[in-house]
């Protein structure tokens, strides 16, 4: 799709009006196409290489080879032969690195502190010049690919995607399995006499050619300087003048169309995926046919398909739009989450979908709808938030493969050519003769005769005809389906308010016995957007598992009730969210400030006079029951993290208890509970962005008037004794706590460990020592435990912050070793790291300190990011808005000996003051180890936790940073 070199050279790249960055396209002599981005304001530099080869190019019988090669390129190169030295350099200099393999491209990317960019780029470039693919690393990394696949085996998303591929032409690359596993990369190649390492090298040499690569470089320097850097680093990439992989023809023949596939998912719930092969949208990205049709079929306002299905009590969610595809084929998907009643009316649901498509046929393509959509897209593009450079370069590098240079930044996001005939062409393809219906439900267990080979998904296939669907349309309820109304939420005033005070941090604008208001005008982003958060602290909302689940259902019902009205706001770029919290519920509204207040006041009005509708209560309750029940299908590492939080957080209720009380709760219980919950409340509010001080105050005054004015107010202020605090268990020094438990899903082979080291209550000096340890240890932990020992794909060392109580945790998921054995490997790593730390030079130490300082001084990219940072301070009660500056000042005073002393006291194996908690989840492969590990003799400093709640009751608590009004000091 990209234009020829000469044709594109002089084209100006279209960029957002608010975008102050400079762009330049160059083509190196080896035909490598590069986009240079100069951003003098950036703190991080980034690069992304997009190679136009993906899993579709896997040789027959070597499934997953492209993905495996992506893993292998990270290891080493001839110029930098030390294994994992690339990742080590990036992480030690404040950066991150990743890659992914798609069907027709593979993307490699990183970001790093700006002063280290040149060295990082040199290491990155070597992947594509002379990688080292050693025999030893090859065998080890097959295990990592296999572990990644093991993680996905019980994921419905992966399973259903592969099932759709299975039901396609065997000779088409779409049919392939893309991840790879031990069989496809080790066992089967060996049986055929193939050397997998030689196959990797052959694949690399045949496909990794400079003319198939697109590079994006994002840096602080001028375009000229970046250009000379790129020319120096990337000119040696070989150009073998390869053609882009192409496979004309459709993946689905008539055999794979007009089918109804019944399939059994892992999780509870019923889902319909209605899929049509269509003309790829990328061929008509300026006309936007799929965007137009997705907008209408996926609409949720009154008269929409979803509105009707919801009113009938048949669906809880619906999405529509283009899915998998390339420039040669594509699919249009409608995905509907069904209720139990909707499952029983599947034919009616499909009938209503086709009735809505028929309505679109009858109405013709509407210019006003296209124009409205184009206007929303244009505003969205020109006022887009700045994103982290690492995300931005990936997006743009992927676009370079598909679009002419002038549209590299725009992609498909700006439909501008109104073409009824092109939209009509795609609409005509959404026909009963062209459809594939995938119907998922546990109710099909025992009724399927076929098994998908890679994920072992059970399914059956039945042919359906156009006349059958006509019949379903005929018998479907005669509901009032109609097109959406004009969108009143589209902003027309995008002017910037003049921030009277250039305040650096949030200020406490007002406080009363009922609320506090923190205010932060936009002094950074110059964007017509605002961020509003209203946190309702209601003591009655979290006093028991029953009240917790009722508060959750209340928040969901509010969203449900507002949806057909507020969906228009969402389309126009004004998002809202209502969710329950540990201490009540929270309302968040984010987006263009012009009409934000209208939406906020509607939400507040709805809360103040909410009436429970028994039919909607039943639907939401059914959804919550399924969600709770499905928690047992979480990945084992997620289960371990959940138990860790349950052990540490006082006054929290386990989902198992909530699941137990759920069946007995009725609409009347909620109707009685809501006024009780709201009867005592304190509102913590945060308003930021393009909003004036007086407007922020007036919003909160309006909310106060709604809830606590009049003779019989909805809310009374809290008593001093009712202010809720979030308290964290204080582990005893010198004790290793163990919590062993069997995994909740007996079919999941993975085991998991969370090894948590609790360190301190928020304190600048201890914070920076902990952060420095985590920065220095992160990559060696990954290298040793994942790359060398191959314990599992998920191997992470990261910091943990529970309401201001700081620590560090190892998270590892494995089929190779049981949790007890993994715990021993973590301790062995810490002993090994101890030696490295003691041998660290002052220069190495200073480099790490400087990297951490650079990370801390990184500016917020957008209003959401800034607001999340400040809200965390308010929510935790720490209120250290100048945290970054204070921690940088503390870091500058730190010595290597300070770090060693910190490690010896808090982290070192056997340290007398160390506090640890190991949560061990035993999967199917290690369930036999569970009884013996549980009954083994423990060393004197180890304590096994038998019951979470007895343990919590017996432990002291850290003091909370939040204590009624006392915490609101300026």
């Amino acid at each position: 799709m990209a234009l020829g070199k000469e044709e594109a050279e002089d084209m100006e790249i279209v960029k957002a009006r608010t975008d102050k960055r400079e762009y330049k396209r160059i083509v190196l002599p080896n035909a490598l196409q590069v986009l240079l981005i100069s951003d003098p304001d950036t703190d991080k530099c980034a690069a992304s290489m997009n190679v136009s080869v993906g899993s579709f190019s896997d040789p027959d019988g070597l499934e997953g080879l492209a993905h495996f090669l992506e893993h292998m390129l990270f290891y080493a190169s001839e110029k930098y032969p030390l294994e994992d030295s690339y990742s080590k350099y990036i992480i030690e200099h404040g950066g991150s690195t990743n890659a992914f393999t798609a069907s027709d491209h593979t993307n490699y990317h990183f970001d790093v502190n700006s002063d280290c960019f040149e060295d990082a780029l040199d290491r990155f470039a070597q992947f594509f010049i002379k990688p080292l693919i050693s025999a030893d690393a090859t065998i080890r990394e097959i295990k990592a690919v296999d572990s990644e696949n093991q993680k996905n085996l019980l994921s419905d998303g992966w399973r259903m995607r592969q099932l759709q591929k299975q039901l396609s032409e065997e000779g088409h690359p779409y049919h392939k399995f893309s991840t790879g596993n031990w069989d496809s990369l080790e066992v089967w190649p060996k049986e055929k006499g193939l050397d997998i390492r030689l196959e990797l090298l052959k694949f690399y040499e045949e496909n990794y050619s400079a003319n198939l690569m697109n590079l994006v470089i994002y840096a602080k320097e001028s375009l000229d300087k970046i250009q000379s850097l790129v020319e120096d680093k990337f000119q040696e990439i070989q150009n073998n003048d390869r053609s882009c992989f192409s496979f004309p023809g459709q993946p689905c023949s008539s055999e794979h169309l007009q089918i109804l596939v019944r399939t059994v998912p892992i999780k509870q719930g019923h889902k319909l995926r209605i899929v049509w092969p269509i003309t790829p949208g990328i061929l008509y990205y300026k006309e936007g046919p799929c965007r137009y049709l997705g907008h209408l079929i996926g609409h949720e306002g009154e008269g929409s398909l979803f509105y009707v299905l919801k009113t009938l009590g048949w669906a809880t969610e619906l999405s529509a739009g283009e899915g998998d595809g390339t420039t040669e084929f594509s699919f249009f998907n409608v995905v509907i989450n069904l209720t139990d009643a909707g499952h029983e009316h599947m034919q009616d649901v499909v009938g209503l979908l086709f009735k809505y498509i028929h309505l679109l046929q009858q109405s013709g393509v509407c210019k006003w709808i296209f124009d409205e959509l184009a206007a929303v897209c244009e505003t969205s593009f020109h006022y887009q938030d700045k994103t982290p450079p690492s995300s931005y370069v990936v997006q743009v590098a992927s676009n370079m493969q598909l679009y002419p240079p002038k549209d590299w930044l725009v992609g498909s996001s700006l439909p501008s050519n109104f073409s009824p005939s092109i939209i009509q062409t795609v609409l005509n393809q959404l026909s009963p003769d062209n459809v594939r219906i995938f119907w998922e439900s546990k109710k099909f267990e025992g009724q399927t005769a076929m098994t998908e080979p890679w994920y072992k998904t059970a399914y059956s296939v039945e042919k359906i005809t156009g006349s059958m669907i006509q019949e379903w349309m005929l018998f479907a309820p005669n509901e009032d389906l109609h097109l959406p109304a004009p969108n009143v939420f589209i902003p027309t005033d995008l002017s910037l308010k003049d921030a009277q005070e250039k305040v650096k941090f949030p200020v406490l604008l007002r406080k009363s016995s009922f609320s506090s208001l923190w205010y932060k005008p936009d002094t950074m982003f110059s964007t017509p957007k605002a961020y509003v958060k209203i946190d309702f602290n209601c003591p009655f909302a979290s006093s028991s598992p029953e009240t917790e689940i009722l508060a959750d259902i209340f928040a969901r019902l509010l969203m449900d009730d507002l949806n057909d009205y507020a969906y228009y706001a969402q389309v126009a770029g004004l998002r809202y969210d209502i969710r329950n919290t540990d201490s009540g519920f929270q309302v968040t509204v984010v987006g263009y400030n012009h009409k934000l207040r209208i939406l906020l006041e509607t939400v507040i009005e709805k809360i103040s006079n909410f009436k429970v509708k028994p039919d909607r209560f039943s639907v939401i309750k059914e959804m919550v029951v399924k969600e709770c029940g499905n928690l047992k299908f979480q990945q084992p590492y997620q289960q371990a993290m959940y138990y860790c939080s349950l052990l540490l957080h006082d006054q929290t209720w386990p989902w198992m208890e909530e699941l137990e009380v759920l069946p007995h709760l009725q609409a009347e219980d909620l109707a009685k509970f809501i006024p009780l919950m709201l009867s005592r409340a304190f509102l913590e509010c945060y308003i930021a962005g393009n909003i004036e001080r007086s407007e922020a105050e007036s919003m909160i005054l309006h909310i106060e008037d709604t809830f606590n004015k009049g003779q019989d107010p909805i809310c009374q202020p809290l008593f001093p004794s009712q202010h809720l605090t979030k308290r964290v268990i204080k582990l005893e020094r010198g004790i290793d706590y163990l919590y062993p438990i069997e995994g909740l899903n007996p079919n999941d082979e993975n085991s998991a460990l969370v090894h948590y080291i609790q360190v301190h209550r928020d304190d600048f000096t201890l914070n920076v020592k902990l952060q420095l340890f985590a920065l220095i240890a992160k990559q060696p932990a990954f290298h040793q435990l994942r790359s060398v020992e191959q314990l599992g794909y998920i191997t992470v060392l990261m910091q943990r912050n529970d309401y201001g109580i700081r620590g560090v945790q190892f998270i590892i998921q494995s089929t190779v070793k049981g949790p007890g054995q993994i715990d021993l490997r973590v301790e062995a790593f810490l002993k090994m790291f101890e030696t490295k730390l003691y041998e660290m030079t002052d220069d190495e130490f200073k480099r790490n300190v400087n990297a951490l300082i650079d990370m801390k001084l990184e500016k917020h990219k957008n209003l959401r990011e800034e607001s999340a940072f400040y809200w965390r301070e308010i929510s935790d009660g720490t209120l250290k808005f100048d945290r970054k500056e204070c921690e940088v000042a503390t870091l500058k005073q730190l010595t290597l000996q300070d770090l060693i002393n910190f490690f010896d006291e808090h982290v070192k194996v056997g340290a007398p003051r160390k506090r640890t908690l190991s949560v061990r989840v035993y999967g199917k492969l290690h369930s036999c180890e569970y009884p013996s590990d549980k009954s083994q003799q423990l060393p004197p400093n180890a304590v096994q936790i038998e019951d979470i709640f007895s343990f919590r009751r017996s432990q002291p608590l850290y003091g909370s940073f939040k204590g009624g009004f006392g915490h609101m000091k300026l």
Side-chain angles (χ1 to χ4, degrees), residues 405-418:
K406 72 182 179 69
D407 290 328
W408 282 349
L409 308 181
V410 172
S412 300
S413 66
L414 277 184
S416 53
N417 299 345
F418 179 59

Side-chain angles (χ1 to χ4, degrees), residues 743-803:
L744 294 167
N745 179 3
N747 297 319
D748 198 326
E749 297 187 340
N750 292 281
S751 292
L753 169 78
V754 168
H755 180 101
Y756 167 63
I757 302 169
Q758 191 178 66
V759 181
H760 67 285
R761 190 170 180 264
D762 190 51
D763 167 274
F764 291 146
T765 304
L766 284 167
N767 290 356
V768 297
K769 290 175 183 176
L770 178 69
Q771 290 157 9
L772 198 54
F773 161 72
L775 175 68
I776 295 169
K778 181 179 180 179
Q779 199 280 331
F782 182 88
H783 173 71
Q784 181 61 33
L785 300 173
R786 154 92 190 261
S787 300
V788 176
E789 299 186 27
Q790 284 297 337
L791 293 180
Y793 178 73
I794 294 169
T795 302
V796 184
L797 165 63
M798 63 188 291
Q799 294 173 66
R800 184 181 174 109
N801 178 3
D802 299 88
Y803 311 124

Side-chain angles (χ1 to χ4, degrees), residues 11 37 122 126 188 190 213 316 320 377 395 417 451 483 570 619 736 753 784 920 929:
M11 278 192 181
I37 306 176
D122 194 48
Q126 296 306 311
W188 299 339
K190 264 193 179 158
M213 298 180 184
T316 56
C377 290
Q395 178 197 330
N417 299 345
T451 306
L483 296 177
Q570 190 180 317
V619 167
D736 294 336
L753 169 78
Q784 181 61 33
R920 301 172 175 181
E929 296 172 22

Side-chain angles (χ1 to χ4, degrees), residues 648-649 726-730 758 802-803 805 956-958:
L648 292 173
H649 297 175
K726 293 161 183 171
R727 306 286 296 274
V728 176
I729 301 298
K730 188 174 190 176
Q758 191 178 66
D802 299 88
Y803 311 124
I805 309 306
L957 301 171
Y958 279 101

Side-chain angles (χ1 to χ4, degrees), residues 128-235:
F128 313 102
I129 297 168
K130 282 202 172 169
L132 269 188
I133 297 176
S134 74
D136 175 49
T138 300
I139 289 298
R140 279 186 282 123
E141 200 57 24
I142 292 174
K143 292 175 183 172
V145 172
D146 188 61
S147 175
E148 183 177 354
N149 183 58
Q150 289 275 354
K151 168 184 75 71
N152 301 335
L153 288 178
L154 298 177
S155 159
D156 283 327
W158 285 93
R159 292 165 71 88
M160 296 309 153
R161 192 178 300 119
Q162 192 62 40
L163 181 58
Q164 290 183 50
K165 289 164 165 274
Q166 177 68 16
L167 297 169
S168 68
E169 284 293 303
E170 275 192 41
H172 196 284
Y174 177 72
H175 187 81
K176 292 178 177 179
F177 166 62
S178 59
T179 311
N181 62 19
W182 185 254
D183 285 339
S184 74
L185 296 169
E186 169 65 11
V187 179
W188 299 339
K190 264 193 179 158
E191 286 172 0
K192 295 176 195 163
L194 296 175
D195 180 329
I196 195 70
R197 179 175 171 271
L198 295 179
E199 294 299 323
L200 276 173
L201 291 167
K202 183 177 160 192
F203 186 85
Y204 178 83
E205 281 154 19
E206 286 180 359
N207 294 287
Y208 274 55
S209 174
N211 71 304
L212 295 183
M213 298 180 184
N214 291 293
L215 175 67
V216 179
I217 301 288
Y218 192 115
K220 212 176 176 72
E221 286 75 25
S222 68
L223 289 172
D224 288 345
K225 276 193 178 171
I226 306 171
Q227 180 168 342
S228 64
L229 188 63
V230 167
E231 288 168 347
D232 176 45
K233 305 292 180 197
F234 291 90
Q235 63 183 346

